[in-house]
Amino acid sequence: ETGVTQTPRHLVMGMTNKKSLKCEQHLGHNAMYWYKQSAKKPLELMFVYSLEERVENNSVPSRFSPECPNSSHLFLHLHTLQPEDSALYLCASSQETSRAKNIQYFGAGTRLSVL
Amino acid sequence: SQQGEEDPQALSIQEGENATMNCSYKTSINNLQWYRQNSGRGLVHLILIRSNEREKHSGRLRVTLDTSKKSSSLLITASRAADTASYFCATDAKSNYQLIWGAGTKLIIKP
């Protein structure tokens, strides 16, 4: 266990559905991340939250909507997705300082299939 | 733009042999990290090497960093079947929160 828990592990949804991915970290970290991982492509950073404030949004389509109600929880709300959104979605957390980027701890991911 | 690039993309060796993977990057860094990912799972941090370090060891892992060539290597000695995984390097982008990831090296250890 890495201290970062993602649910659900697998999700199949139609293009008209609305679903949410959940991430919870038990490490006392101050930053949380959503990544998208597609086959044979580098990890794509989607969103970063630091102290519950969104600090990065890498041109992600509006059909993905993040929510960070507190420093331990992170959600990714999904609606009207496209088949190309099928991927492994990874959540991570870290304890950031001003000096350098630190180690990120990942959840096991949610395997999303959009039909 | 994507900074880290691992080489080779895939590597298949016999159990007991050593495995070497390389990572190149483009801009100056504070540190470089290596992660492992078992199939369909999250990434697990292996080792971090700072820009003022040249070599670092952790168990069967040896990482080197050459800042003049902007490259790093990960050596796994006496490989085991359980080392089968994808390995990623990640460098920090000094100006923001992002780690820059490569596409990874897929390592297969044949028993």
Side-chain angles (χ1 to χ4, degrees), chain A:
Chain A
E1 288 296 326
T2 63
V4 180
T5 303
Q6 286 187 246
T7 54
R9 292 295 318 280
H10 301 274
L11 179 63
V12 179
M13 59 187 290
M15 289 191 283
T16 59
N17 292 158
K18 289 185 179 181
K19 297 286 185 183
S20 296
L21 310 184
K22 179 183 177 182
C23 177
E24 183 174 1
Q25 58 101 357
H26 308 277
L27 301 168
H29 288 165
N30 61 9
M32 296 186 76
Y33 311 76
W34 278 118
Y35 286 94
K36 176 184 178 182
Q37 187 178 35
S38 304
K40 299 183 180 179
K41 292 177 67 176
L43 277 177
E44 298 175 55
L45 180 66
M46 301 175 72
F47 303 103
V48 182
Y49 276 82
S50 175
L51 297 173
E52 304 159 37
E53 179 181 345
R54 189 191 309 178
V55 295
E56 289 285 345
N57 178 349
N58 280 354
S59 303
V60 179
S62 60
R63 57 186 183 268
F64 295 91
S65 174
E67 178 189 1
C68 187
N70 55 61
S71 60
S72 298
H73 293 86
L74 186 65
F75 295 89
L76 188 63
H77 303 300
L78 317 171
H79 66 98
T80 60
L81 295 191
Q82 304 298 310
E84 60 264 29
D85 297 322
S86 298
L88 182 67
Y89 288 84
L90 294 165
C91 172
S93 71
S94 67
Q95 184 63 27
E96 289 304 316
T97 66
S98 59
R99 288 185 57 221
K101 302 301 167 288
N102 290 316
I103 297 166
Q104 294 188 7
Y105 294 79
F106 286 79
T110 295
R111 173 67 64 185
L112 174 66
S113 297
V114 181
L115 304 179

Side-chain angles (χ1 to χ4, degrees), chain B residues 21-68:
Chain B
M21 289 158 274
N22 302 296
C23 170
S24 60
Y25 58 92
K26 296 178 180 175
T27 61
S28 61
I29 61 173
N30 289 313
N31 63 55
L32 183 145
Q33 304 179 44
W34 284 92
Y35 288 77
R36 183 188 74 220
Q37 183 180 33
N38 290 93
S39 181
R41 308 281 296 185
L43 282 74
V44 175
H45 178 262
L46 295 176
I47 197 164
L48 180 152
I49 186 166
R50 302 194 187 283
S51 58
N52 61 354
E53 298 175 310
R54 291 297 166 258
E55 187 170 312
K56 202 163 183 180
H57 297 256
S58 177
R60 294 184 294 111
L61 305 181
R62 172 178 168 249
V63 169
T64 62
L65 180 64
D66 187 335
T67 53
S68 67

Side-chain angles (χ1 to χ4, degrees), chain B residues 74-87:
Chain B
L74 170 67
L75 169 67
I76 304 174
T77 60
S79 62
R80 305 168 182 171
D83 296 327
T84 295
S86 292
Y87 292 81

